Amino acid sequence: TYTIVASNAGPDGVPDATVADTFPATLTCTWTCVGAGGGTCTAAGSGNLNDTANLPAGGSATYTASCTINASATGTLSNTATITSSGNDPNLGNNSATDTDTLTPQADLSITKTDGVATAVPGGSVTYTITASNPGPSNAPGATVADTFPATLTCTWTCVGAGGGTCTAAGSGNLNDTVNLPTGGSATYTASCTIDVAATGTLSNTATVAAPGGVTDPTPGNNSATDSDTLAPQADLSMTKTDGVTTATPSGSVTYTIVAANAGPSNATGVTVADTFPAACTSVTYSSVAAGGATGNTTVGSGNLNDTLNLPVGASVTYTATCAIALTATGTLSNTATVAAPGGVTDPTPGNNSATDSDTLTQLATLTIQLDAPGSTPTTFDFTTVGGLTPTAFSLQHGQTQTFTNLIPGQSYTVNDQPPPPGWVLDEVLCSAPAPECVISSITLTPTEGQTVTGTFRFLRATGGGVESIPVFSVWGLGALIGLFGLALARLRRRG
């Protein structure tokens, strides 16, 4: 705001004094004027000053020019006002006056930064919006916007200017950009960042804006902005388990394939893998193989499974466990394996953290051997399987049986006579028929699930010339014999 005073020290009055001021191009001015001591002037105006004033001796005219300085002005602001008249001025040296100011640009630069969230997931992503702006009063050409992203972030960014602001359109990595921020201008950066899968703790990131040389920032406290997010790891752990069958046999075995895996997005350190095998498994041995950087697995072990694993994203551990099934096991063989996230790690889909394999246990069979050899002495037999197990000897007399239980369905079992009873041979007549017991000197039977099967050894007494046949009456002979017996009984009654 300039105060320009035109005055006349006399001795004569000047009715047509010209007061002029051609303002510098960097100024935009309006002015008012007040006369004193009889002086008069134009009351107000705008733009350059070129006014005719009436200045009697001792009179004056005071102009007040209010000027805004162009925001881009630099260097020195120099402004000269003059007064002239048609009369004789004995002292021309005081007919002009100059005001000179050194221009000191000031720009209240500010920056904001946010990703719009309070928590972030390692292995996920965040998107920062970073806005640098200049409310003035001066332009700030060559301001610097910077952001050194944390090592756990990998970022790419774009920028759009507004209000005359300009910036680099796009880039990657850390942000260090020279921007033009006129008064009212801004530059908005959008930084898309992926978070390292192993990141922990707090994700903190600061962006700054700095005024260029020669420009003063009157409020530097808003020249930086920090966004902080609590890192909340998430790991989609999963468990699968199968033995590839739906039925199992007591005294047999099954082999389970158990796989614990981490689909991410975050690493998981301290994962618990457990499998308490059922009592029907009389013994369990297992081995394991790690993949994808997994560690902590027991490579070879026995009994229940209880491992603490480190599972990076994409890693897995595969266990191969063999269960020996008890001979007395019945019903269903059911076994569940689980995987659990460590403290501080959330599993977004806990429904796949356990896996159960169930097999129906087959019912064992029973085999009975009986001897049909009336009047014979005890005979020795042996019992074995087709697989060549050690024979089990036993001895029978006529009418006696020997029972073997807990036999595996589908397995063939053979009984041999060792040899026939003295003076006896296998009933050749019976053995000409396709009956299961009519095998020359042995019986082989294959029981099915839950079945009891019976095999019979039947012998006849042998004579020197062959087999001694037991006398058999025909139907007519038997009838005659009964008739004779009836007549004899009647005669005895009459005698009585």
Side-chain angles (χ1 to χ4, degrees):
T1 300
Y2 293 108
T3 300
I4 306 167
V5 180
S7 59
N8 179 10
D12 298 327
V14 178
D16 57 354
T18 300
V19 179
D21 194 331
T22 301
F23 297 107
T26 55
L27 295 181
T28 301
C29 303
T30 61
W31 49 264
T32 60
C33 185
V34 176
T40 60
C41 54
T42 301
S46 62
N48 292 330
L49 178 61
N50 191 10
D51 190 33
T52 300
N54 174 27
L55 297 176
S60 64
T62 299
Y63 297 85
T64 301
S66 299
C67 304
T68 57
I69 310 170
N70 189 287
S72 61
T74 59
T76 300
L77 178 63
S78 185
N79 182 213
T80 301
T82 62
I83 185 171
T84 60
S85 70
S86 59
N88 182 23
D89 190 330
N91 181 14
L92 297 178
N94 59 1
N95 284 21
S96 67
T98 300
D99 182 274
T100 301
D101 300 321
T102 299
L103 289 173
T104 305
Q106 287 188 357
D108 181 13
L109 302 180
S110 65
I111 196 164
T112 61
K113 177 171 187 173
T114 184
D115 60 7
V117 296
T119 60
V121 177
S125 63
V126 289
T127 300
Y128 294 106
T129 300
I130 304 166
T131 302
S133 57
N134 177 20
S138 306
N139 290 354
T144 301
V145 175
D147 194 330
T148 301
F149 296 105
T152 54
L153 294 182
T154 301
C155 302
T156 60
W157 48 266
T158 60
C159 185
V160 176
T166 59
C167 52
T168 302
S172 61
N174 292 329
L175 179 60
N176 190 11
D177 195 23
T178 300
V179 298
N180 176 34
L181 293 178
T183 300
S186 64
T188 298
Y189 297 83
T190 301
S192 299
C193 305
T194 58
I195 309 171
D196 189 89
V197 294
T200 58
T202 301
L203 178 64
S204 185
N205 185 210
T206 300
T208 61
V209 61
V215 177
T216 301
D217 191 328
T219 53
N222 60 0
N223 286 20
S224 68
T226 300
D227 183 277
S228 294
D229 301 323
T230 300
L231 289 172
Q234 289 187 358
D236 180 12
L237 303 178
S238 64
M239 174 63 73
T240 61
K241 177 171 187 172
T242 183
D243 60 6
V245 296
T246 57
T247 61
T249 302
S251 80
S253 65
V254 289
T255 298
Y256 296 106
T257 299
I258 304 165
V259 181
N262 177 16
S266 307
N267 289 353
T269 300
V271 173
T272 301
V273 173
D275 193 332
T276 301
F277 294 95
C281 290
T282 58
S283 67
V284 176
T285 59
Y286 61 87
S287 61
S288 68
V289 177
T295 59
N297 54 300
T298 302
T299 55
V300 176
S302 61
N304 293 329
L305 179 61
N306 190 6
D307 268 356
T308 300
L309 308 178
N310 296 327
L311 289 180
V313 175
S316 64
V317 173
T318 299
Y319 296 86
T320 302
T322 300
C323 158
I325 308 172
L327 179 63
T328 57
T330 59
T332 300
L333 178 65
S334 185
N335 184 212
T336 299
T338 61
V339 61
V345 177
T346 301
D347 192 328
T349 54
N352 60 359
N353 286 20
S354 67
T356 300
D357 183 277
S358 295
D359 301 322
T360 301
L361 290 171
T362 57
Q363 298 180 32
L364 298 179
T366 301
L367 178 62
T368 298
I369 301 299
Q370 65 182 8
L371 177 63
D372 184 7
S376 72
T377 58
T379 261
T380 301
F381 299 86
D382 68 50
F383 168 72
T384 186
T385 65
V386 173
L389 298 180
T390 303
T392 300
F394 63 95
S395 179
L396 294 178
Q397 287 184 304
H398 171 65
Q400 291 183 332
T401 60
Q402 177 74 25
T403 299
F404 299 92
T405 60
N406 295 331
L407 303 183
I408 299 175
Q411 173 69 64
S412 295
Y413 298 91
T414 300
V415 179
N416 303 289
D417 63 311
Q418 301 288 332
W424 294 77
V425 296
L426 194 69
D427 187 343
E428 295 176 356
V429 176
L430 291 176
C431 287
S432 65
E437 63 269 31
C438 292
V439 179
I440 298 302
S441 61
S442 65
I443 297 174
T444 299
L445 297 172
T446 305
T448 60
E449 182 180 353
Q451 181 187 36
T452 299
V453 294
T454 302
T456 300
F457 280 91
R458 182 170 298 160
F459 297 96
L460 294 177
R461 187 183 301 279
T463 63
V467 175
E468 178 185 326
S469 298
I470 300 175
V472 177
F473 290 97
S474 68
V475 174
W476 295 108
L478 182 60
L481 181 61
I482 293 172
L484 289 174
F485 179 76
L487 289 174
L489 181 60
R491 180 172 294 181
L492 288 173
R493 286 178 177 174
R494 284 197 298 271
R495 285 180 180 178

